[in-house]
Amino acid sequence: MAGGPLYTGSCLCGDIKLEAFGELKWIAHCHCPSCQKVSGTGFATYAGFNKQDVHLTEDKLKTFRASVAVARSFCKKCGVPVKFEGEAWPDEVHIHLAMLDNAADLQPLGNVHVKTRLPWVHLEDGLVAFDRFPK
Ligand SMILES: [Zn+2]
Ligand SMILES: [Zn+2]
C-alpha cells in the first residue's frame, strides 16, 4: 500500500501502537452494561474498521472473553481498553475511540443500546439512537 497509515494511535502508557490503513466505517456510542463496565463510566465510544486495515502491537494486549462470542482487549501494562471483537461482526474490529490521535476531528454517527443508558446520560447530541445494536 502506498503512503503511511490513515490513522495512528496509542494507549495511555504507549506500549500499544495503532496504525490503520483504511477508512473507518462508523463511530458510535454504546450504552450497553458491559461497555459501561469497560469504560468505567456511562458509555463507550467505538470506531469501526475493517479488521485487516488495523495493525496493533498484539503481543502487548491482554484479551478477555466475556462470552464465546465477544473478545475485549486491553493494554497489559496500563489497562486501557483497546478493541472489541464480536462474532456478529466477523470482518470488523471496534477500536475504542480515545486510542486514535485525531479523535477530536472525528464525528460520532449515533448511539446504540440506549435502552440501557444510565439515566444521567442526556442524549441531546442530535444523533440517531437505537434501542439495540442495528443490523
Ligand atoms: Zn498501555
Ligand atoms: Zn456495548
Side-chain angles (χ1 to χ4, degrees):
M1 51 196 72
L6 298 180
Y7 301 91
T8 57
S10 63
C11 64
L12 189 56
C13 75
D15 269 11
I16 308 294
K17 301 269 190 259
L18 176 148
E19 291 184 320
F21 293 89
E23 274 301 333
L24 69 85
K25 302 171 77 174
W26 50 263
I27 298 174
H29 305 303
C30 185
H31 300 263
C32 83
S34 51
C35 287
Q36 291 164 3
K37 287 281 188 199
V38 164
S39 67
T41 182
F43 55 90
T45 305
Y46 296 96
F49 288 93
N50 286 321
K51 201 167 261 190
Q52 73 271 12
D53 289 339
V54 176
H55 299 180
L56 287 162
T57 320
E58 297 284 343
D59 60 325
K60 306 270 173 112
L61 285 173
K62 170 113 180 137
T63 296
F64 171 72
R65 285 194 168 272
S67 72
V68 288
V70 168
R72 293 179 178 275
S73 300
F74 305 82
C75 173
K76 274 182 194 168
K77 190 195 282 180
C78 71
V80 160
V82 174
K83 66 173 175 176
F84 170 101
E85 292 160 295
E87 267 178 12
W89 304 273
D91 303 322
E92 290 188 5
V93 58
H94 303 171
I95 298 294
H96 283 266
L97 187 71
M99 281 289 293
L100 300 177
D101 291 331
N102 66 333
D105 304 328
L106 303 171
Q107 179 56 51
L109 297 174
N111 290 280
V112 300
H113 285 290
V114 297
K115 261 195 168 149
T116 49
R117 105 188 130 75
L118 296 180
W120 43 260
V121 173
H122 296 287
L123 301 179
E124 290 155 1
D125 52 19
L127 302 178
V128 60
F130 298 94
D131 281 352
R132 304 184 61 79
F133 209 97
K135 274 286 147 192

